[in-house]
Amino acid sequence: MIPGAPQCDPEIWSLGIPVLGVCYGMQVMVQQLGGGVERAERGEYGKASLHINDATDLLTSVDNDTVMWMSHGDSVTYLPEGFELLAHTDNTPQAAIADPTRKLYGVQFHPEVVHSLGGQALIRNFVYQICGCEPTWTTDAFVEEAVREIRARVGDKRVLLALSGGVDSSTLAFLLHRAIGDQLTCMFIDQGFMRKGEPERLVKLFRDQFHIPVEYVMARDRFLAQVVGVTDPEVKRKRIGHEFISVFEEESKRLGPFDYLAQGTLYPDVIESADTNADIKTGERVAVKIKSHHNVGGLPKDLRFKLIEPLRKLFKDEVRNVGRSIGLPDEIVRRQPFPGPGLAIRIIGEITAERLNILRDADLIVRQEINRSGMYHELWQAFAVLLPVRSVGVMGDQRTYAYPIVLRFVTSEDGMTADWARVPYDLLETVANRIVNEVRGVNRVVYDITSKPPGTIEWE
């Protein structure tokens, strides 16, 4: 492995508890226990047929030649002592391995993603049979416990929540409002990169239908000024994030003081980022960064809050179940994910008011037609991307020189991996015709058929 690559404490393998190494985790296990890992002659990304050598234990009820999702450039070359081969693929000789005596297991693929067709069966085998766990968790029990814990921690203090309209922050708003009522203040910052009509719809929905007060902050001009002339996607994200922090600081001081900041942190966020510090006196987590824009900006030192993160042990599908159980409507619970920087990262290159308007109009058509077709809830995401190039076209008797729009429709379970959606040609035709005919400045529509990996869902 590459020098400096992440490692784990080797004592883990001697604890006497079941361990499942997934992808890189399997490689670390093999290397630390005396096996070999080297750069593969051919990487393996996306779908692969799993050929089962031993259908017992971990692979019980997993069909031979079932599809599993791969994403690796390195492979195990030989196994440590005590391990045996459970399965392989055409490109990966050791795709699943086990040392049953020590209850150590490894898989080179990702069983946790929806595209691994036998993945759930494998995980059930590990959790229920090998580990001996019982499925006792319920959403109702979680909600009751979360409400009790929130009330006990917060007492009579005030809590601030940065509302985005997504399922995470909306579920959290409902949960907090149930627990502490008017002690909660929701703030929605309109940065100008939302979809057409969404800021107004969101505020009206929460105020009028849910009766949860929302402080609406109009900041579109400020955010657009920060990204004028910027083409680098990372610089774009950082500038948007820093401006979000500036606006957040000003408005929280105006509306405050607040003792707690509520964040819709999920378990994958906890794993992937170290975004908090602990208060030395109380041990409570203290906010250093805000999740809303992918943790790209830190809070000022004089504006630190104690954190309330009731959802931090949940995955996205569990959050949706909690949302349903506390009365969140399907239009939010089943809302497709939308990035923190919004349309700013769906305009490749420089962001201008003209390009934002073009993309908003194209995006609205996509949403309308996906909903009309009945496919909205079958797709993880369906959206439009604006490219910063122009191509020649013909409209009527005139040649045009206009932007192309890319359609990106994908299926996924959690966004970690995704596949391009095989939607009907008639739907693509309808969307493309409407965009070209109704959106001024566009004369071409293309469809992205790249899976993740090797591509990402978003273009920036």
Side-chain angles (χ1 to χ4, degrees):
M1 290 186 181
I2 298 173
Q7 298 289 322
C8 66
D9 187 338
E11 292 300 315
I12 288 176
W13 319 123
S14 303
L15 291 177
I17 60 174
V19 178
L20 175 62
V22 175
C23 195
Y24 181 74
M26 168 176 153
Q27 295 173 2
V28 170
M29 177 191 296
V30 166
Q31 187 186 58
Q32 291 190 347
L33 291 174
V37 179
E38 295 181 3
R39 173 65 64 180
E41 291 185 10
R42 290 178 56 189
E44 199 169 25
Y45 304 96
K47 296 178 181 179
S49 293
L50 188 72
H51 310 310
I52 297 177
N53 299 77
D54 184 346
T56 60
D57 210 10
L58 188 67
L59 299 181
T60 300
S61 300
V62 176
D63 293 335
N64 189 39
D65 294 333
T66 189
V67 170
M68 293 295 185
W69 205 258
M70 291 284 192
S71 181
H72 66 102
D74 297 331
S75 288
V76 172
T77 53
Y78 59 93
L79 299 179
E81 184 177 352
F83 277 80
E84 57 191 46
L85 178 66
L86 300 183
H88 66 281
T89 70
D90 292 341
N91 293 325
T92 305
Q94 288 86 18
I97 61 174
D99 181 340
T101 302
R102 290 184 286 178
K103 294 189 176 181
L104 302 179
Y105 301 84
V107 293
Q108 185 60 72
F109 48 87
H110 288 269
E112 75 279 11
V113 303
V114 67
H115 302 103
S116 289
L117 301 184
Q120 289 300 309
L122 185 151
I123 292 172
R124 281 195 296 268
N125 290 336
F126 181 74
V127 174
Y128 298 150
Q129 305 304 321
I130 296 172
C131 296
C133 296
E134 296 291 334
T136 57
W137 188 91
T138 66
T139 53
D140 289 342
F142 169 81
V143 170
E144 291 178 8
E145 182 181 0
V147 168
R148 285 197 302 269
E149 290 180 353
I150 291 167
R151 289 172 177 167
R153 280 193 63 195
V154 173
D156 61 355
K157 306 297 184 182
R158 298 183 66 198
V159 178
L160 176 63
L161 168 64
L163 188 67
S164 69
V167 63
D168 301 342
S169 67
S170 297
T171 298
L172 182 54
F174 263 54
L175 190 62
L176 289 167
H177 194 255
R178 174 179 289 193
I180 59 175
D182 292 341
Q183 293 168 241
L184 169 68
T185 297
C186 292
M187 181 198 302
F188 174 70
I189 298 175
D190 186 351
Q191 42 26 345
F193 305 132
M194 296 289 285
R195 290 165 158 169
K196 195 168 189 173
E198 279 205 337
E200 297 81 6
R201 181 198 60 80
L202 172 68
V203 174
K204 181 177 176 61
L205 196 64
F206 270 79
R207 285 178 178 171
D208 298 347
Q209 185 172 330
F210 306 153
H211 307 294
I212 298 177
V214 177
E215 292 288 338
Y216 175 78
V217 180
M218 168 61 81
R220 297 181 183 182
D221 292 341
R222 290 182 57 169
F223 279 87
L224 188 57
Q226 289 296 317
V227 294
V228 171
V230 176
T231 58
D232 184 280
E234 289 306 311
V235 175
K236 195 186 294 185
R237 281 178 180 268
K238 287 179 180 178
R239 289 200 180 185
I240 293 171
H242 291 156
E243 188 61 24
F244 185 90
I245 295 299
S246 297
V247 176
F248 185 87
E249 177 183 11
E250 295 169 15
E251 296 299 322
S252 61
K253 287 181 177 178
R254 178 179 68 85
L255 298 169
F258 297 96
D259 295 275
Y260 289 93
L261 171 67
Q263 289 197 155
T265 306
L266 305 189
Y267 189 60
D269 301 317
V270 176
I271 295 172
E272 293 172 3
S273 62
D275 59 351
T276 55
N277 290 339
D279 185 288
I280 297 176
K281 296 181 180 179
T282 66
E284 291 184 287
R285 281 161 55 82
V286 179
V288 178
K289 297 178 181 179
I290 292 181
K291 183 195 175 204
S292 303
H293 287 275
H294 306 282
N295 295 325
V296 292
L299 286 171
K301 291 183 179 179
D302 62 345
L303 193 70
R304 296 292 172 87
F305 304 92
K306 297 172 184 176
L307 274 180
I308 292 287
E309 301 172 297
L311 311 178
R312 66 187 306 265
K313 294 182 180 179
L314 305 184
F315 288 93
K316 178 73 77 174
D317 59 332
E318 294 170 326
V319 173
R320 294 188 196 279
N321 290 336
V322 169
R324 288 190 188 94
S325 72
I326 58 177
L328 207 61
D330 257 9
E331 67 177 292
I332 292 181
V333 170
R334 301 181 70 182
R335 182 179 186 262
Q336 293 180 357
F338 189 68
L343 299 180
I345 61 169
R346 292 179 179 173
I347 295 175
I348 309 306
E350 183 180 2
I351 302 168
T352 66
E354 177 201 21
R355 291 178 177 180
L356 277 168
N357 288 332
I358 290 173
L359 185 56
R360 279 199 189 95
D361 289 342
D363 178 84
L364 179 61
I365 291 171
V366 170
R367 286 186 289 145
Q368 288 174 341
E369 294 302 329
I370 290 294
N371 276 301
R372 189 172 289 124
S373 72
M375 294 194 66
Y376 182 86
H377 296 308
E378 296 179 26
L379 303 174
W380 175 258
Q381 281 175 276
F383 57 88
V385 176
L386 177 67
L387 300 185
V389 296
R390 295 175 190 261
S391 66
V392 175
V394 178
M395 291 185 173
D397 297 328
Q398 295 181 334
R399 289 169 67 84
T400 60
Y401 193 56
Y403 293 110
I405 287 288
V406 178
L407 302 181
R408 182 69 162 145
F409 302 169
V410 299
T411 59
S412 181
E413 187 70 25
D414 54 14
M416 299 300 290
T417 62
D419 199 8
W420 61 277
R422 277 70 169 174
V423 298
Y425 289 160
D426 289 348
L427 174 59
L428 293 177
E429 180 182 33
T430 300
V431 173
N433 282 344
R434 283 196 60 192
I435 289 175
V436 170
N437 285 313
E438 299 176 29
V439 181
R440 186 180 296 274
V442 176
N443 67 356
R444 190 179 300 272
V445 177
V446 299
Y447 189 53
D448 184 348
I449 59 169
T450 311
S451 64
K452 176 189 179 182
T456 55
I457 296 175
E458 299 289 346
W459 275 50
E460 285 193 348

